[in-house]
């Protein structure tokens, strides 16, 4: 695993702000995540009504990926976070809490898997590629270079969209970036620790 | 009946997160699936839960939903006849 | 190259591999009817572990399942330097959020760390949570890690439980079967849920099986419905075959996903037909274990290892009349057949698919 790959573009979302390659492209001011996501969707002209059906984790991942992907490219998706789909799991748990009157919501249940956000991105950009969702206690700065490098060097993908997408209550954070043969910074642990 | 139809439209919009659609935008005989409102299979399942939760109607065979959920008109007629709450 | 060095399972049929396989070979299913069992659903069919699971105090029920399935594997193959624990699960300790709070146990890294600490792994464990392909995708991940020398040994452990959370969710999806599930049958009417844990050691050291190829391609079509053309599964299998240097008909059997929903089984038949694999013997093991979610891909691979080792193909339980639009060769009776190449496939929510091909070594 000596071959070096590079970070091409990156997008960060936190505290009501979206930054692309370090530059602000949208900020919403004080708001809940859902309010922020709706304003961002409108401001970024995403024109994709399915967005409103997504859970918060999928909205976060979708917004962060929206400026980074080329449709129908051979781009694998490797995402991770700390809380898996726990934010939506708790929402679903509410719909079955009352043992005498429980009404499980299919539209919520379907999002109780963290990889659904990758499915949403794959559908939008028609990516017939590999998706995998990992869960770690902290941002895995050694994992992403090792695993994304493997996918490219073994020919499973030409480029990889890596993402840390954490969502629990009103605590959210996305750091999503694309890795390929060219870019502005080596895809290694040191650079990621500097950027995150 | 008109009151029930309005109520159904509002419930559909809320339950299915139809952003930018108002009750006035949905005609009574508009197709809910396919080319009409463009609802999909998960929406259909959500409507089955709505019938149970809000009107006390349990569909024994989900395939029955295809006829019931054709339009707001057909939903209102079915609910008016079968509701238990 | 990567090899399967050891493996085990912990299922409703038995607390270890040999008991489980012995009962499976006797045609016994772990599925039964539960009525007024204290779950939300008044009655349902499922494959649940009935005996005492929690023999290690201080660990959750699922952590006990993972610990107990790993114990014999680690006893035979002690944890060394450059060893990773890779945990596959969809819902982990989801029963811990019943009160509506995000308690510590509900976080998947906490669960994995509890298991890793029990066995003295030095590396932080990885958790893969990729819907119903998790268990077999984890084998593909382990294979790549050992191939590349990032780790020398990857202990893959997969587990999921039957809980109110998943039972009610599948019920809301109108996807639960009215009796024991019937994969590929004309009268199949849905999934029967199950719970299990499975483990496999993937290593650079030579072992019983070589991991010959893998593919994992998304349908890019719908988040809950499988592709009508089987596109993602078709591409996944094609990629795995190419890597293994095979055309397809050389496969001696396929352990498919076979959840017994109308659309999944039909989709698989279409994908296999497109690949010209109509004559390759196929089974779904869901009739014995139900759908064990994040455990299923690994559990069914582990059972397939025994099948290949013994040269005995296991019948697909629950099939009476084939009910898919393409002709596929579902195994109906136990069949003696020397096995060299075999494949495990799975598909899941989010549009994911995975195929892994194994070669039995002499």
């Amino acid at each position: 695993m000596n071959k070096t790959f590079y970070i091409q573009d990156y997008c960060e979302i936190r505290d009501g702000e979206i930054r692309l390659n370090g530059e602000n492209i949208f900020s919403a001011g004080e708001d809940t995540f859902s309010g922020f996501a709706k304003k961002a969707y409108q401001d970024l002209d995403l024109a994709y009504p399915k967005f409103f059906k997504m859970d918060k984790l999928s909205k976060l991942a979708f917004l962060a990926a929206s400026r980074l992907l080329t449709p129908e490219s051979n781009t694998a998706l490797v995402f991770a976070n700390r809380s898996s789909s726990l934010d939506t799991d708790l929402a679903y748990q509410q719909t079955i809490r009352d043992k005498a009157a429980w009404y499980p919501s299919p539209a919520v249940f379907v999002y109780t898997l963290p990889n659904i956000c990758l499915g949403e991105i794959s559908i939008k950009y028609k990516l017939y590629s590999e998706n995998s969702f990992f869960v770690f206690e902290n941002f895995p700065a050694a994992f992403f270079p090792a695993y994304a490098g493997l996918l490219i060097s073994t020919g499973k993908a030409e480029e990889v969209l890596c993402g840390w997408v954490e969502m629990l209550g009103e605590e959210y954070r996305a750091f999503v970036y694309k890795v390929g043969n060219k870019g502005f910074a080596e895809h290694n642990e040191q650079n990621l620790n500097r950027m995150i | 009946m008109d009151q029930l139809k309005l109520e159904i439209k509002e419930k559909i919009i809320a339950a299915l997160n139809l952003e930018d659609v108002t009750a006035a935008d949905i005609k009574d005989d508009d197709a809910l699936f396919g080319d009409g409102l463009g609802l999909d299979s998960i929406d259909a399942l959500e409507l089955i839960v709505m019938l149970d939760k809000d009107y006390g109607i349990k569909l024994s065979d989900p395939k029955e939903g295809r006829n019931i959920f054709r339009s707001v008109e057909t939903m209102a007629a079915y609910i008016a006849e079968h509701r238990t709450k | 190259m990567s090899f399967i060095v050891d493996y085990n399972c912990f299922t409703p049929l038995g607390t270890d591999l040999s008991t489980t396989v012995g009962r499976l070979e006797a045609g016994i299913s772990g599925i039964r009817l539960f009525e007024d069992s204290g779950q939300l659903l008044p009655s349902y069919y499922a494959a649940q572990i009935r005996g005492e699971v929690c023999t290690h105090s201080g660990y959750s029920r699922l952590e006990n399942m993972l610990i107990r399935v790993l114990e014999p594997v680690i006893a035979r193959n002690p944890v060394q330097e450059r060893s990773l624990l890779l945990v596959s699960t969809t819902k982990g300790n989801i029963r811990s959020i019943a009160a509506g709070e995000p308690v510590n146990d509900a976080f998947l890294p906490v669960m994995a760390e509890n298991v890793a600490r029990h066995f003295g792994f030095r590396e932080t464990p990885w958790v893969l949570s990729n819907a119903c392909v998790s268990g077999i995708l984890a084998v593909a991940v382990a294979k790549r890690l050992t191939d590349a020398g990032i780790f020398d040994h990857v202990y893959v452990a997969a587990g999921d439980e039957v809980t109110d959370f998943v039972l009610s969710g599948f019920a809301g999806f109108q996807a639960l079967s009215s009796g024991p599930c019937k994969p590929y049958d004309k009268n199949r009417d849905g999934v029967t849920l199950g719970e299990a844990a499975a483990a496999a050691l993937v290593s650079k050291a030579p072992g019983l099986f070589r991991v010959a190829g893998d593919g994992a391609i998304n349908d890019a079509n719908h988040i809950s419905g499988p592709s009508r053309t089987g596109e993602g599964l078709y591409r996944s299998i094609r990629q795995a075959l190419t890597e293994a240097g095979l055309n397809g008909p050389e496969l001696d059997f396929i352990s498919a996903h076979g959840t017994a929903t109308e659309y999944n089984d039909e989709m698989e038949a279409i994908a296999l037909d497109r690949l010209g694999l109509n004559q390759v013997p196929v089974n779904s093991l869901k009739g014995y274990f139900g759908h064990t979610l994040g455990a299923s891909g690994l559990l069914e691979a582990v059972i397939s290892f025994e099948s290949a080792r013994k040269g005995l193909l296991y019948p697909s339980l629950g099939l009476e009349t084939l009910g898919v639009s393409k002709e596929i060769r579902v195994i109906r009776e136990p069949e003696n057949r020397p096995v060299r190449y075999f494949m495990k496939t799975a598909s899941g929510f989010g549009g994911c698919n995975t195929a892994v091909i194994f070669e039995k070594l002499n």
Side-chain angles (χ1 to χ4, degrees), chain B residues 7-66:
Chain B
E7 180 183 302
I8 292 169
K9 289 174 190 175
E10 284 167 350
K11 280 181 193 292
I12 289 175
I13 290 165
L16 307 184
N17 298 314
L18 302 179
E19 207 63 34
D20 305 326
V21 175
T22 66
D25 296 334
I26 308 175
K27 295 199 191 76
D28 292 353
D29 57 355
D30 273 352
L32 296 179
F33 291 84
D35 292 337
L37 264 189
L39 304 187
D40 80 352
S41 55
I42 300 175
D43 296 320
L45 294 167
E46 202 64 32
L47 292 180
I48 291 175
V49 174
M50 186 179 109
L51 283 190
D52 185 7
K53 183 177 179 183
D54 296 341
Y55 301 104
I57 300 171
K58 283 194 196 297
L59 292 191
S60 51
D61 178 3
K63 286 186 178 140
E64 286 177 75
R66 284 181 198 166

Side-chain angles (χ1 to χ4, degrees), chain C residues 290-310:
Chain C
H291 189 350
T292 56
L293 307 175
S296 63
L298 187 60
L299 171 64
E300 293 157 15
V302 162
I303 300 299
S304 298
F305 297 152
E306 280 300 87
S307 173
R309 192 178 64 78
K310 296 180 174 188

Side-chain angles (χ1 to χ4, degrees), chain C residues 213-230:
Chain C
D214 70 88
I217 309 285
N218 197 279
D219 283 333
N221 175 60
H222 194 270
I223 54 168
S224 65
S227 159
R228 296 292 173 101
T229 59

Side-chain angles (χ1 to χ4, degrees), chain A residues 66-178:
Chain A
S66 67
R67 288 287 187 270
L68 302 176
L69 284 168
T70 312
E72 298 180 50
S73 55
N74 184 5
T75 309
L77 307 178
V78 179
F79 278 48
N81 72 5
R82 171 169 175 263
S83 302
S84 180
S85 55
L86 190 54
D87 186 74
T88 300
D89 296 351
L90 291 164
Y92 177 75
Q93 186 68 32
Q94 284 300 315
T95 75
I96 58 165
R97 198 186 41 171
D98 185 348
K99 289 221 169 206
W102 51 281
Y103 299 99
S105 166
V108 179
F109 183 69
V110 72
Y111 287 99
T112 62
L113 294 164
N115 63 299
I116 302 298
C117 69
L118 307 180
E120 293 284 14
I121 293 169
S122 298
I123 293 166
K124 167 71 165 93
Y125 297 95
K126 295 191 173 56
L127 303 179
Y128 293 105
S129 64
E130 177 162 330
N131 292 184
S132 44
F133 202 104
F134 291 85
V135 189
F136 292 98
E137 182 68 35
N138 298 301
F139 177 80
F143 159 79
F144 280 120
Y147 196 67
L150 266 182
L151 289 177
I152 302 176
S153 57
T154 58
K156 298 290 180 194
E158 285 169 24
E159 46 189 27
V160 180
L161 191 73
C162 296
W164 176 260
V165 283
E166 172 60 15
M167 171 66 66
L168 189 60
E170 284 303 321
E171 297 290 316
Y172 61 90
R173 172 88 199 265
F175 176 70
V176 177
Y177 60 96
K178 196 159 75 178

Side-chain angles (χ1 to χ4, degrees), chain A residues 14-17 26-40 42 169-172:
Chain A
R14 66 197 297 184
D15 304 329
E17 185 185 12
F26 176 75
S27 38
E30 286 282 309
D31 206 341
T32 59
F33 174 77
S34 296
F36 159 76
K38 183 175 177 179
K39 288 179 199 160
Q42 290 161 342
E170 284 303 321
E171 297 290 316
Y172 61 90

Side-chain angles (χ1 to χ4, degrees), chain C residues 22 25 41 64-65 92 100 104-105 113 118 128 145-146 149 195 200-201 204 207 210 243 245 248 258 295 301 330 353:
Chain C
E25 287 177 0
L41 270 62
N64 265 279
M65 286 163 62
N104 203 38
D105 282 354
E113 189 59 56
H118 181 85
L128 178 66
L145 292 173
T146 48
E195 61 189 7
L201 172 56
K204 64 173 186 176
R210 182 174 71 91
E243 187 183 342
V330 183
N353 302 275

